[in-house]
Amino acid sequence: ETGVTQTPRHLVMGMTNKKSLKCEQHLGHNAMYWYKQSAKKPLELMFVYNFKEQTENNSVPSRFSPECPNSSHLFLHLHTLQPEDSALYLCASSQDRVNEQFFGPGTRLTVL
Amino acid sequence: KQEVTQIPAALSVPEGENLVLNCSFTDSAIYNLQWFRQDPGKGLTSLLLIQSSQREQTSGRLNASLDKSSGRSTLYIAASQPGDSATYLCAVRIPDYKLSFGAGTTVTVRA
């Protein structure tokens, strides 16, 4: 596979569930990002990792917990979410924090 | 705080007409500006990247201009086709390296 992949593509979960979103990039990039896209709103940056180190947490609630075990993989662990967390979650990567970002197809999350 | 605005929010044109999409930003201190395309429920595809020192970029039927001093960028799509129907997003890279996005313009090209 090439580019940025995300799994699962769709996820429905209850407010008491725990689930994880996975992102993998095959581009040899050093920076990875999580974004949230809600209906009719601009993309919101959630987290930034550069060389596996978290460099940005954009005031994201603690029910979202990121993990970056290596430069190719990024996870978003979810627990006790709220219905308003339903959105498209997009992962992106770039060679470094300055260069062009490449996006994955996203995970459509629905919280019941 | 950088604010990025895209007007109009939606646009419908007949096939063959040229498309003009507008993006404005409040702080001219940017590194670059990027235009993306997003199909329904899908990720973002990068279309054009304009560095802050450039005035325009072209790729096929697409041309993007940048006027940093006035905080504006315009994406032109020539001779539109039904396959151009999508949401187009503008994003500026600000000094702390983050991308600040507009809400997008949803384009429908009628056959």
Side-chain angles (χ1 to χ4, degrees), chain A residues 9 33 35 37 40-43 45 48 56 58 88 90 94 97-106 108, chain B residues 4 31-32 34 36 38 40-49 89 93 96-99 101-103 106:
Chain A
R9 296 294 311 277
Y33 312 78
Y35 288 89
Q37 187 177 33
K40 308 297 182 186
K41 293 175 66 175
L43 266 76
L45 179 66
V48 180
E56 186 78 29
N58 207 24
L88 182 67
L90 292 162
S94 60
R97 289 185 300 158
V98 178
N99 287 337
E100 183 178 4
Q101 291 181 22
F102 294 83
F103 283 78
R108 171 67 62 186
Chain B
V4 182
Y31 283 128
N32 56 49
Q34 198 165 354
F36 293 89
Q38 186 176 31
K42 302 290 180 62
L44 277 63
T45 301
S46 179
L47 298 175
L48 291 167
L49 176 80
L89 299 170
R93 185 175 301 280
D96 60 359
Y97 307 116
K98 291 186 251 187
L99 279 179
F101 282 85
T106 299

Side-chain angles (χ1 to χ4, degrees), chain B residues 15 37-38 56 89:
Chain B
E15 183 177 3
R37 170 187 171 135
Q38 186 176 31
E56 67 176 343
L89 299 170

Side-chain angles (χ1 to χ4, degrees), chain A residues 12-92:
Chain A
V12 179
M13 59 187 288
M15 290 190 285
T16 58
N17 291 159
K18 291 184 180 181
K19 297 286 184 183
S20 296
L21 309 185
K22 179 182 176 182
C23 175
E24 184 173 1
Q25 57 96 0
H26 308 268
L27 301 169
H29 290 167
N30 297 309
M32 297 187 77
Y33 312 78
W34 279 117
Y35 288 89
K36 175 184 179 182
Q37 187 177 33
S38 304
K40 308 297 182 186
K41 293 175 66 175
L43 266 76
E44 301 171 55
L45 179 66
M46 300 175 71
F47 302 103
V48 180
Y49 278 81
N50 196 36
F51 291 96
K52 301 188 299 178
E53 298 298 319
Q54 187 180 124
T55 58
E56 186 78 29
N57 177 338
N58 207 24
S59 303
V60 180
S62 59
R63 57 186 184 269
F64 295 90
S65 175
E67 178 190 2
C68 188
N70 54 60
S71 292
S72 299
H73 294 85
L74 185 64
F75 295 89
L76 188 63
H77 304 300
L78 316 171
H79 63 97
T80 59
L81 293 190
Q82 305 298 312
E84 60 264 29
D85 296 322
S86 298
L88 182 67
Y89 288 84
L90 292 162
C91 173

Side-chain angles (χ1 to χ4, degrees), chain B residues 2-82:
Chain B
Q2 179 76 265
E3 302 274 347
V4 182
T5 304
Q6 292 186 249
I7 294 174
L11 186 60
S12 179
V13 299
E15 183 177 3
E17 191 165 300
N18 295 333
L19 285 163
V20 180
L21 307 179
N22 298 302
C23 172
S24 61
F25 45 95
T26 53
D27 188 343
S28 62
I30 64 170
Y31 283 128
N32 56 49
L33 183 145
Q34 198 165 354
W35 282 94
F36 293 89
R37 170 187 171 135
Q38 186 176 31
D39 292 292
K42 302 290 180 62
L44 277 63
T45 301
S46 179
L47 298 175
L48 291 167
L49 176 80
I50 313 176
Q51 300 295 347
S52 62
S53 58
Q54 297 176 313
R55 296 301 300 262
E56 67 176 343
Q57 277 285 352
T58 299
S59 176
R61 295 185 293 114
L62 275 59
N63 174 277
S65 65
L66 174 63
D67 185 341
K68 204 171 69 161
S69 61
S70 66
R72 295 182 186 206
S73 177
T74 303
L75 177 66
Y76 301 90
I77 303 177
S80 61
Q81 304 167 359

Side-chain angles (χ1 to χ4, degrees), chain B residues 81-92:
Chain B
Q81 304 167 359
D84 294 328
S85 298
T87 296
Y88 292 83
L89 299 170
C90 161
V92 297

